[in-house]
Amino acid sequence: MFLHVSRTYPYTVKQVSKIANVTVKTLHHYHKIGLLLPCEVNDAGYRLYGRKELERLQEILFYRELDFPLKKIKEILTGEHDRIRILKEQKRLLQARMERTADLIQTINESIRSAEKGEPMDQADMFKGFETEEEWRNAMREQTEYLKENYGHDLGEKPIVPEEMNEEARKAQQFITGMARALASGIKHTNSHVQHLIDSHVAGLKQRHHIETPRDFAAMTRFFLDDDFHRQMLENQQTGLAYYLCLAAEHFADKMN
């Protein structure tokens, strides 16, 4: 995230806006609330920013990617400042989010495999699951290779407990099936029935420590939509499902803020 700069400091607010890909309005707001102060304001009234301010902005934006509220970010960055510690903690949090995303993705693999073969599963087969870790790893192989190649994340490093995976897959498939049926029925993503499905699913994910907030789940669905491989997995179940799921999850997260 930015900070690859070469010209002489200080920068104006407009230059910082371009470097960091944030709006001037955002920088003015950060100044107003005391989150990011310019190193000086010149006689003409221009806000100027040096390297320390750019580094602080980078840290702020990483926390925003993690959906931290501005008030919490200000608390974290107030007082003794250890940039290396902050960056390492942000890296840990981002990796944890990636692992939670991968956990959610892998629970729907068996139903996706069946959909790709054009063989609808009855409910008994849909929730049967796999009996061994090897069977689960075989089912996950394509996705594991894809995530490792494209994102550097190796699902193979995580231990697999078949009984737990089967239960998670059952719950995930129930949710996805419900969302697909709602979409096929023409039910709007903001409808109370759809939002109840999201609410119940998010509660289960939080209970199993896969996510911490509804915004985490919304970020997962955005990942599903933006990534070709995972978008196609959902689209194989119902055309438009990836987009529908993302809209519904983001609406739910917005309501919960």
Side-chain angles (χ1 to χ4, degrees):
M1 185 178 289
F2 82 92
L3 281 192
H4 183 66
V5 293
S6 58
R7 68 184 301 281
T8 305
Y9 299 105
Y11 290 93
T12 65
V13 67
K14 185 175 181 179
Q15 290 167 335
V16 172
S17 170
K18 184 176 181 180
I19 293 170
N21 195 28
V22 298
T23 65
V24 170
K25 184 178 179 180
T26 294
L27 295 172
H28 286 175
H29 181 62
Y30 289 173
H31 184 187
K32 181 179 179 180
I33 64 176
L35 180 59
L36 179 66
L37 303 178
C39 61
E40 66 174 295
V41 178
N42 66 17
D43 293 339
Y46 288 103
R47 297 172 172 87
L48 301 177
Y49 298 82
R51 181 167 185 83
K52 287 185 178 180
E53 287 71 40
L54 288 182
E55 289 179 348
R56 182 177 176 92
L57 177 58
Q58 184 192 48
E59 293 162 4
I60 292 169
L61 295 180
F62 276 133
Y63 277 124
R64 290 299 290 156
E65 285 293 322
L66 290 160
D67 298 314
F68 277 57
L70 295 179
K71 183 178 179 181
K72 181 63 176 178
I73 296 173
K74 186 176 180 181
E75 291 176 2
I76 294 171
L77 298 182
T78 297
E80 185 177 349
H81 191 86
D82 185 339
R83 178 166 167 78
I84 293 177
R85 179 188 60 78
I86 288 172
L87 291 174
K88 286 183 177 180
E89 175 63 10
Q90 290 175 328
K91 179 182 177 181
R92 184 190 69 79
L93 292 170
L94 287 166
Q95 287 175 330
R97 168 171 288 185
M98 191 172 185
E99 290 173 4
R100 290 195 297 269
T101 300
D103 287 341
L104 181 62
I105 293 168
Q106 70 186 24
T107 61
I108 65 174
N109 269 319
E110 173 59 8
S111 58
I112 297 298
R113 280 158 48 107
S114 297
E116 289 174 342
K117 294 176 181 178
E119 301 172 353
M121 301 171 66
D122 63 33
Q123 190 154 326
D125 290 335
M126 186 179 296
F127 302 131
K128 184 177 180 181
F130 297 117
E131 295 182 359
T132 68
E133 180 174 347
E134 182 180 2
E135 288 176 333
W136 265 109
R137 293 203 183 280
N138 287 337
M140 293 164 54
R141 180 172 290 111
E142 182 181 4
Q143 182 187 19
T144 298
E145 292 174 356
Y146 176 84
L147 288 172
K148 187 173 183 179
E149 179 179 348
N150 290 276
Y151 299 98
H153 180 71
D154 188 0
L155 292 177
E157 296 178 349
K158 298 189 66 177
I160 292 177
V161 180
E163 294 80 8
E164 294 178 1
M165 290 290 289
N166 292 339
E167 178 63 10
E168 292 201 6
R170 183 186 68 80
K171 291 178 179 178
Q173 186 56 48
Q174 282 182 325
F175 168 68
I176 292 297
T177 298
M179 293 295 292
R181 286 174 178 169
L183 172 59
S185 300
I187 299 175
K188 194 173 181 180
H189 69 277
T190 56
N191 181 273
S192 59
H193 169 67
V194 174
Q195 291 298 297
H196 176 71
L197 289 176
I198 297 285
D199 189 11
S200 297
H201 190 59
V202 166
L205 293 175
K206 289 172 66 176
Q207 185 178 25
R208 296 191 296 278
H209 306 291
H210 291 324
I211 63 172
E212 296 177 1
T213 69
R215 188 61 62 186
D216 289 339
F217 181 62
M220 287 182 187
T221 63
R222 176 59 61 177
F223 171 78
F224 297 160
L225 179 61
D226 292 343
D227 183 84
D228 291 342
F229 180 88
H230 297 99
R231 181 176 62 251
Q232 191 58 48
M233 290 202 315
L234 290 171
E235 294 298 291
N236 283 338
Q237 293 210 35
Q238 175 69 41
T239 300
L241 182 57
Y243 186 69
Y244 185 77
L245 178 61
C246 183
L247 286 179
E250 290 182 344
H251 179 75
F252 180 78
D254 289 342
K255 288 198 309 179
M256 299 301 291
N257 276 353

